Amino acid sequence: VAQNTEYWLNVAGGISAATVGLFLMCGFYAIQPNEAMAILLFGDYRGTDRTTGLRWVLPWYSRKKISLRARNLTSDKLKVNDKRGSPIEIAANVVWRVEDSAQALFDVDDYQAFVNIQVDTALRDIASHYAYDHGDETDEPELTLRADAEDVAGRLREELVRRGAVAGVAVDEARLAHLAYAPEIAGAMLKRQ
């Protein structure tokens, strides 16, 4: 009887040790370079871990991984009106990255979709402030989308930095990727030039 009891105590101790070990193993996670892990305790944000390598927290802390790598976004071609009301097609190429992981995860529903929408909105706004090309009236020179691409790109970047701040997103570069008159007036505008 004593041997049987000792055997069952050893089995129970082994099962307990394995259970505790498995429970503690659940707290391990790995972070690659340019990644971050948001740490939460029952839905309450506790901080962001950016240290690369194998890490450990208490198993009841939940974790959300987020990439901090630079991303490239080429927007769809938008059909908008320029400052003079001429229909044009415009698209942008934007290099962006997550700067504040907590804002990206918790201040907007989907930060990638948010960036896409903000790029489209900023393009529409920029196009409405500039004419596609210089018009017939040359009294006072004005900046145009076609002739002053660097200035337009700078203004687009500033607009995207301002809009992306709410989501913890940094914009490294923004450029116009496509600029043309809309197909229905392109022939008439080319003849005029």
Side-chain angles (χ1 to χ4, degrees):
V1 176
Q3 285 180 335
N4 201 14
T5 305
E6 186 178 323
Y7 170 77
W8 286 111
L9 285 175
N10 286 338
V11 169
I15 291 173
S16 297
T19 304
V20 168
L22 185 61
F23 179 72
L24 292 176
M25 290 285 292
C26 293
F28 282 106
Y29 61 95
I31 298 180
Q32 304 296 325
N34 285 322
E35 284 184 342
M37 190 72 72
I39 311 293
L40 300 123
L41 178 62
F42 305 115
D44 187 27
Y45 175 71
R46 292 297 182 178
T48 299
D49 187 359
R50 294 173 187 249
T51 308
T52 59
L54 186 62
R55 312 286 294 154
W56 185 83
V57 293
L58 293 170
W60 48 83
Y61 281 86
S62 61
R63 302 167 297 271
K64 289 188 178 186
K65 189 179 283 190
I66 186 167
S67 174
L68 304 177
R69 294 179 177 104
R71 300 163 195 227
N72 190 38
L73 167 70
T74 301
S75 70
D76 294 330
K77 291 178 187 173
L78 300 176
K79 192 177 199 180
V80 297
N81 291 334
D82 70 356
K83 183 178 179 180
R84 293 193 182 109
S86 301
I88 61 172
E89 289 180 345
I90 192 168
N93 189 345
V94 179
V95 178
W96 65 278
R97 61 188 159 73
V98 172
E99 192 170 56
D100 186 328
S101 56
Q103 279 186 294
L105 289 172
F106 306 120
D107 287 355
V108 293
D109 281 335
D110 179 352
Y111 65 93
Q112 292 177 350
F114 180 83
V115 169
N116 289 341
I117 291 169
Q118 295 310 313
V119 168
D120 288 352
T121 305
L123 273 174
R124 290 180 189 282
D125 184 54
I126 292 296
S128 70
H129 286 89
Y130 294 96
Y132 175 84
D133 206 355
H134 293 290
D136 295 334
E137 67 283 343
T138 55
D139 298 341
E140 190 174 310
E142 65 177 338
L143 297 177
T144 64
L145 293 169
R146 192 171 76 119
D148 302 298
E150 289 297 318
D151 294 323
V152 172
R155 174 131 186 234
L156 177 62
R157 183 183 175 283
E158 288 171 9
E159 184 72 15
L160 289 172
V161 165
R162 185 182 65 75
R163 291 171 178 270
V166 70
V169 171
V171 177
D172 296 331
E173 185 178 348
R175 299 250 177 242
L176 293 182
H178 175 78
L179 181 64
Y181 282 114
E184 61 268 17
I185 68 158
M189 296 310 262
L190 288 173
K191 285 180 187 175
R192 196 182 87 184
Q193 290 177 356

